[in-house]
Amino acid sequence: MSSEINRQNFISQQASEYVTRLYSGELTAKEELEITTWCEASDVNRAAFEQALAIWEVAPELSQKSSWRDKLERRFYHLRYFAASVFLVAACFLLFLKSESTAPKESLNIEQHYATATGEVSNIGLSDGSQITLNTATEIKVNLTRNKRELWLEKGEAFFDIAKDKSRPFLIYTNAKTVRVVGTKFNIKLSESGFDISVSEGVVAVESDNPPTSVPEHTPLYLEAGAVASFKASSSLVTKKNDEKVEKAHSWRSGYLRFDDEQLAHVIDSFNRYRSKKITIDESAANLKISGVFKLSDGDAILTALEATLPIHIEETEKNIKIVKK
């Protein structure tokens, strides 16, 4: 009997330590896998982990409704590990007593920031069930509460798979417009002059004004699945049904870039987004056309392919790579 109690106490303590690490803001990918594996190892482990989460959420400033798996996919950078360690003592004590709290839970209202480095692609799971894939050199800010869902795309490109919630439309703010969705899949790529959007599922509404203006200046533009649109400061171009362009715009998610009879200057600009050692191109070669599918992880293999198919020469030094026409 005593051995069983000791075993249960050990499991409860382990669960509390995992929850503490989860909210510390320092959880590594290896630790995340360790926690997931431990929880899936037995129903007892999972129950202990969920009970530890429930106790943690008793604190009003930390409470938030979501499953334990969702929590593993988030990072709370605003919490310090010392504060989490102090709470571990209280959590272990409460677990030992097996007490339950009926304190009301309030929605968390905390902005979260996510970013990727050059060449990095990252998947993010939000507490509402939405999934976001960040492309290279991308920055976003997210604020989810009981009453609203907001995201600021501050830099780069992202693919959105937004969970349906008619009571809380998901608002995405870009540098000039607001994208309003309820539940759909689409891609947004920022540029210096505006942004491009391509929709693979559902419907999105593109509105003119960013907050704090509450009423759009113009009627929203609705884009259905298959639509591709480019919004600039003073103009917009919309293709209502072009599945091929949508697939092409989303190809980066599979680790490839696809080009169809496109200028070499554009191709190089696209690859430079993923490279720390940039490629420059001589003006004489900028307008050469090329088609093909290129793997992002192949590094300089793109240069070999270009040199084999185009009348160009690659000049490479320790610091620079330059393409010139033969």
Side-chain angles (χ1 to χ4, degrees):
M1 182 69 177
S2 60
S3 61
E4 179 61 24
I5 294 177
N6 290 337
R7 176 176 174 272
Q8 184 60 47
N9 287 342
F10 174 80
I11 293 175
S12 297
Q13 182 176 356
Q14 183 67 70
S16 298
E17 291 176 356
Y18 279 150
V19 170
T20 298
R21 191 60 181 168
L22 172 64
Y23 281 97
S24 69
E26 301 173 355
L27 187 71
T28 65
K30 182 179 179 181
E31 289 173 325
E32 179 174 327
L33 178 60
E34 178 184 338
I35 295 175
T36 303
T37 303
W38 186 82
C39 287
E40 293 179 346
S42 70
D43 291 339
V44 175
N45 289 1
R46 179 177 298 191
F49 188 82
E50 291 178 344
Q51 186 178 15
L53 283 174
I55 292 175
W56 186 284
E57 292 178 340
V58 168
E61 70 275 16
L62 293 177
S63 63
Q64 182 169 345
K65 297 179 180 179
S66 65
S67 69
W68 65 270
R69 186 177 293 277
D70 288 336
K71 291 177 183 295
L72 292 180
E73 296 175 349
R74 301 203 304 271
R75 302 291 187 271
F76 286 86
Y77 297 104
H78 63 285
L79 298 178
R80 296 186 179 277
Y81 187 72
F82 175 76
S85 299
V86 172
F87 189 84
L88 171 62
V89 177
C92 288
F93 177 74
L94 290 173
L95 278 173
F96 179 76
L97 295 178
K98 295 184 178 179
S99 63
E100 295 182 358
S101 173
T102 58
K105 297 182 179 181
E106 300 296 333
S107 293
L108 194 61
N109 188 4
I110 296 176
E111 289 183 353
Q112 295 175 271
H113 295 256
Y114 302 92
T116 52
T118 299
E120 179 186 9
V121 175
S122 178
N123 294 310
I124 297 169
L126 301 183
S127 60
D128 67 336
S130 298
Q131 298 288 327
I132 301 172
T133 305
L134 303 185
N135 202 354
T136 175
T138 297
E139 296 179 12
I140 65 171
K141 180 175 65 176
V142 183
N143 185 25
L144 302 183
T145 70
R146 177 177 296 176
N147 301 317
K148 60 184 179 181
R149 300 185 293 173
E150 297 179 299
L151 181 146
W152 288 259
L153 179 56
E154 300 179 331
K155 178 184 176 183
E157 179 177 17
F159 179 85
F160 301 89
D161 183 354
I162 302 301
K164 293 183 179 180
D165 187 343
K166 293 184 178 180
S167 66
R168 289 189 306 163
F170 201 111
L171 302 179
I172 300 174
Y173 305 120
T174 67
N175 49 11
K177 296 182 182 294
T178 300
V179 178
R180 179 186 297 269
V181 299
V182 172
T184 186
K185 298 179 181 181
F186 57 98
N187 192 86
I188 299 180
K189 177 183 177 183
L190 293 185
S191 64
E192 293 182 359
S193 57
F195 72 94
D196 299 328
I197 181 170
S198 51
V199 184
S200 60
E201 183 179 305
V203 180
V204 304
V206 180
E207 302 173 350
S208 296
D209 294 331
N210 277 348
T213 303
S214 58
V215 180
E217 181 182 352
H218 303 291
T219 302
L221 174 64
Y222 292 95
L223 302 175
E224 299 181 348
V228 177
S230 180
F231 296 93
K232 308 301 180 184
S234 58
S235 65
S236 61
L237 179 63
V238 179
T239 303
K240 291 189 175 181
K241 190 66 177 178
N242 194 319
D243 293 330
E244 186 177 352
K245 279 191 174 182
V246 170
E247 182 181 352
K248 178 181 172 183
H250 300 179
S251 63
W252 62 268
R253 297 177 58 226
S254 60
Y256 292 85
L257 290 182
R258 174 184 164 187
F259 304 99
D260 298 310
D261 196 31
E262 297 190 39
Q263 292 185 343
L264 185 56
H266 172 70
V267 173
I268 296 305
D269 284 343
S270 298
F271 269 93
N272 276 340
R273 296 174 59 209
Y274 299 85
R275 298 176 59 91
S276 55
K277 187 177 182 180
K278 306 299 183 184
I279 303 171
T280 61
I281 182 169
D282 187 77
E283 186 176 349
S284 62
N287 293 327
L288 293 174
K289 298 291 186 68
I290 188 169
S291 299
V293 178
F294 302 94
K295 193 173 182 179
L296 289 170
S297 61
D298 281 350
D300 289 342
I302 176 66
L303 298 174
T304 303
L306 292 177
E307 199 168 24
T309 56
L310 294 175
I312 61 171
H313 174 65
I314 308 295
E315 298 178 352
E316 184 171 2
T317 66
E318 184 177 345
K319 296 183 178 180
N320 301 305
I321 299 176
K322 186 175 182 178
I323 296 176
V324 297
K325 190 174 181 180
K326 289 182 179 180

